[in-house]
Amino acid sequence: METIATGAAPTPTAVKGLPPGPRMSRALQTAIWSRQAQWMLGQCRSRFGDMFTLRIANEGTWVMVSDPEAVKQVFTGDPRVFHAGEGNEILRPILGDNSVLVLDEKAHIGQRRLLLPPFHGERMQGYGEKMTEIAAREIESWPTGTPHKLRPRMQAITLEIILETVFGVHDRERLEPLRAALRDFLDLTTNPRVLLPVILLGPERIRYLPAFRRRIDRVDELINREIRERRAAEDLAERDDILSMLVAARHEDGSPMSDAEIRDELLTLLVAGHETTATALSWAMERLTRHPEKLEHLRAEALAGGEEPYLTATIQETLRLRPVIVLVIRKLTEPVEIGGYELPAGARVTPSIHLVHRDPEIYPEPERFLPERFLETPPGTYTWIPFGGGVRRCLGASFAQFEMAVVLRELVKRHQIAPANPKSERPFRRAITETPRHDAEVILA
Ligand code: HEM
């Protein structure tokens, strides 16, 4: 007899099988998804309601959910039944077999436990000074008076912050080749032309494409050198970068992390933390420059020093209205009843960040950029989900919001900022993230 993972017997009225969805072929659904994900989600919700099924090449069946109760059920569900690692399989060729993102159950908990300490709240304060220094230096080098794309500049800042806080590399001679190799590798992973082949070929075959192999080999060579030398460093105990903490970390049985484990987690933090934060920062400026009075409010608050509730609310509202990632994935290992459907094992349940954040019952006038909505009411655990949720919630959520606050504060304090073109920028898909189509182009004064 089939088991139902909610622990309860299936409700007699539950419909066995998948909710409805578009009837077009998988190939066509994949093509639309890769170019117009947000539009497709909106269309499907109007047509099919809160739960619908999409079929995407190499991704099996996606059951989209956006009702907060269903989202809660997925995020608090048994991790043995809701597999996020299997859902992130597409990242395995890049991140490696030990990455916390691609593991499930015991193996996932083991890696997550090792990665948690560096992301504790007080650590962030420690990184604050370095983050501020990097942001200020970068921003001071930006040109004024001409159109200027912010996204690549934000990427430069977030990469520099990761090199400093995660890798702990400050030496110019080491920094330059490492920065160049990582940049080259990251550009490939976020190239929109690479997305479709990745989806169509599937993760396994992508691994052997020469363009991928060459870049990954170079990155591995440099990272492995850093790991080797860090193991031998005499000042390991005093260092506060994440690589040093991983070298010193111990599994529950007392054994150290292997080189392969550390390599995979470093690359995971880089890939998960760099492009995402740079994109969120670009969206913050894209939205703020279309709302000059809100930008002014933010500047006045930053210049006054002290508490910064408007900055916090601006970051929360940016991540609500322009979430960098539109959904998260959990692959079912057993049949589960959700929202009146008895879903089969093997289906991928996908809480839609985009749809939850656009629900007018949760957020009145959902299309408006209104940081004020978060001044009185803090974000809800299952209604504000830019970082996913449950035991898989983004490990870098505090890090990212802290970093965003530092960069936005330094930027608005130094410059008057206007959009290069008053028209809003539309979302544009780059591999996994949804970025501003014109890279948040502004003119600084
Ligand atoms: C605005 C920036 C960011 C956004 C929007 C974001 C979003 C996400 C999302 C949606 C997930 C999947 C959660 C789930 O499946 O429920 C995730 C996981 C993860 N993120 Fe982030 N992230 C950001 C920044 C960062 C940073 C800065 C780091 C680290 C330096 C980071 C490290 C991770 C890791 C390690 C995971 C995997 C957690 C696990 O599987 O247990 N992220 N992130």
Side-chain angles (χ1 to χ4, degrees):
M1 205 182 88
E2 284 171 334
T3 50
I4 296 290
T6 49
T11 324
T13 52
V15 178
K16 207 171 173 123
L18 302 168
R23 282 158 173 255
M24 63 185 89
S25 67
R26 184 179 292 271
L28 193 53
Q29 293 193 38
T30 307
I32 300 175
W33 176 257
S34 70
R35 293 181 169 271
Q36 299 279 356
Q38 299 195 9
W39 175 83
M40 191 176 188
L41 287 171
Q43 291 290 311
C44 287
R45 173 148 76 184
S46 332
R47 190 146 164 233
F48 304 109
D50 273 342
M51 255 178 105
F52 52 87
T53 302
L54 294 182
R55 292 185 173 80
I56 306 292
N58 270 306
E59 282 287 323
T61 303
W62 280 354
V63 178
M64 209 63 66
V65 297
S66 56
D67 172 61
E69 268 311 306
V71 171
K72 180 176 178 185
Q73 189 188 341
V74 175
F75 283 162
T76 55
D78 185 339
R80 288 171 303 183
V81 177
F82 293 87
H83 271 189
E86 269 194 87
N88 294 332
E89 195 58 29
I90 195 166
L91 296 168
R92 188 182 288 271
I94 295 174
L95 303 182
D97 296 336
N98 305 288
S99 163
V100 68
L101 264 164
V102 305
L103 295 173
D104 282 304
E105 303 191 29
K106 261 181 93 171
H108 167 254
I109 296 169
Q111 290 295 312
R112 196 168 160 108
R113 205 189 114 262
L114 294 168
L115 283 170
L116 270 173
F119 289 100
H120 273 164
E122 70 239 47
R123 282 261 145 210
M124 295 308 108
Q125 305 300 328
Y127 294 140
E129 208 173 303
K130 283 175 187 158
M131 287 183 181
T132 307
E133 215 180 280
I134 291 169
R137 192 173 62 224
E138 266 289 326
I139 292 166
E140 271 159 20
S141 74
W142 293 355
T144 53
T146 56
H148 180 58
K149 288 182 186 295
L150 283 183
R151 202 179 67 87
R153 305 319 318 155
M154 295 299 189
Q155 286 179 312
I157 294 183
T158 59
L159 181 57
E160 232 38 42
I161 288 179
I162 286 185
L163 284 167
E164 177 72 42
T165 57
V166 175
F167 288 78
V169 177
H170 335 279
D171 245 352
R172 260 190 79 174
E173 278 144 56
R174 327 282 304 235
L175 204 52
E176 274 168 19
L178 186 59
R179 183 193 291 128
L182 294 178
R183 187 62 283 144
D184 194 31
F185 158 75
L186 288 164
D187 284 346
L188 189 76
T189 61
T190 55
N191 183 339
R193 275 180 303 180
V194 173
L195 175 67
L196 207 53
V198 170
I199 293 178
L200 295 175
L201 288 173
E204 267 314 307
R205 273 171 282 175
I206 273 291
R207 199 194 288 253
Y208 302 105
L209 290 186
F212 261 90
R213 203 56 271 162
R214 204 173 44 246
R215 286 172 170 90
I216 292 182
D217 285 349
R218 174 73 180 140
V219 163
D220 283 353
E221 178 193 327
L222 294 173
I223 291 187
N224 285 329
R225 189 175 77 178
E226 289 302 326
I227 299 173
R228 258 196 325 274
E229 297 192 8
R230 198 63 54 84
R231 285 199 194 281
E234 283 172 7
D235 61 348
L236 190 66
E238 289 102 67
R239 299 186 62 123
D240 64 358
D241 57 85
I242 294 178
L243 166 54
S244 301
M245 294 174 77
L246 296 183
V247 166
R250 292 293 174 265
H251 289 286
E252 267 178 340
D253 67 0
S255 62
M257 291 175 82
S258 67
D259 285 2
E261 282 179 295
I262 296 183
R263 175 270 181 210
D264 291 356
E265 298 311 1
L266 287 179
L267 225 54
T268 299
L269 298 178
L270 173 76
V271 168
H274 156 270
E275 166 79 7
T276 44
T277 313
T279 302
L281 279 163
S282 310
W283 275 124
M285 291 317 299
E286 190 280 337
R287 284 295 77 203
L288 281 165
T289 48
R290 270 72 183 181
H291 298 83
E293 70 297 346
K294 299 191 195 299
L295 184 53
E296 264 324 300
H297 189 154
L298 199 62
R299 171 172 302 115
E301 185 186 81
L303 290 172
E307 301 268 298
E308 294 176 307
Y310 201 71
L311 177 58
T312 306
T314 300
I315 291 167
Q316 289 164 341
E317 176 67 346
T318 302
L319 290 167
R320 178 196 71 82
L321 186 58
R322 295 287 185 267
V324 173
I325 294 170
V326 293
L327 55 79
V328 294
I329 305 178
R330 304 288 186 267
K331 188 170 174 188
L332 299 181
T333 58
E334 288 178 13
V336 178
E337 186 184 328
I338 300 178
Y341 289 92
E342 194 191 318
L343 304 175
R348 289 159 198 243
V349 185
T350 52
S352 166
I353 300 171
H354 172 79
L355 290 178
V356 172
H357 289 185
R358 298 295 175 99
D359 185 339
E361 288 189 15
I362 306 168
Y363 298 106
E365 299 185 88
E367 297 296 329
R368 279 185 71 193
F369 177 66
L370 258 185
E372 290 73 9
R373 65 173 98 234
F374 289 115
L375 286 177
E376 300 287 313
T377 320
T381 313
Y382 304 109
T383 51
W384 187 79
I385 54 168
F387 297 105
V391 291
R392 305 303 296 233
R393 186 166 189 268
C394 174
L395 267 169
S398 306
F399 186 98
Q401 290 171 90
F402 192 84
E403 180 176 358
M404 286 180 73
V406 166
V407 177
L408 291 176
R409 184 187 305 123
E410 296 307 309
L411 177 52
V412 300
K413 274 198 318 201
R414 279 179 177 72
H415 290 287
Q416 300 285 334
I417 311 145
N421 179 338
K423 247 180 95 183
S424 298
E425 294 189 27
R426 299 171 68 79
F428 176 71
R429 188 83 186 279
R430 280 178 193 275
I432 294 169
T433 52
E434 298 271 332
T435 63
R437 176 164 290 271
H438 303 293
D439 289 337
E441 201 171 17
V442 299
I443 300 178
L444 303 175

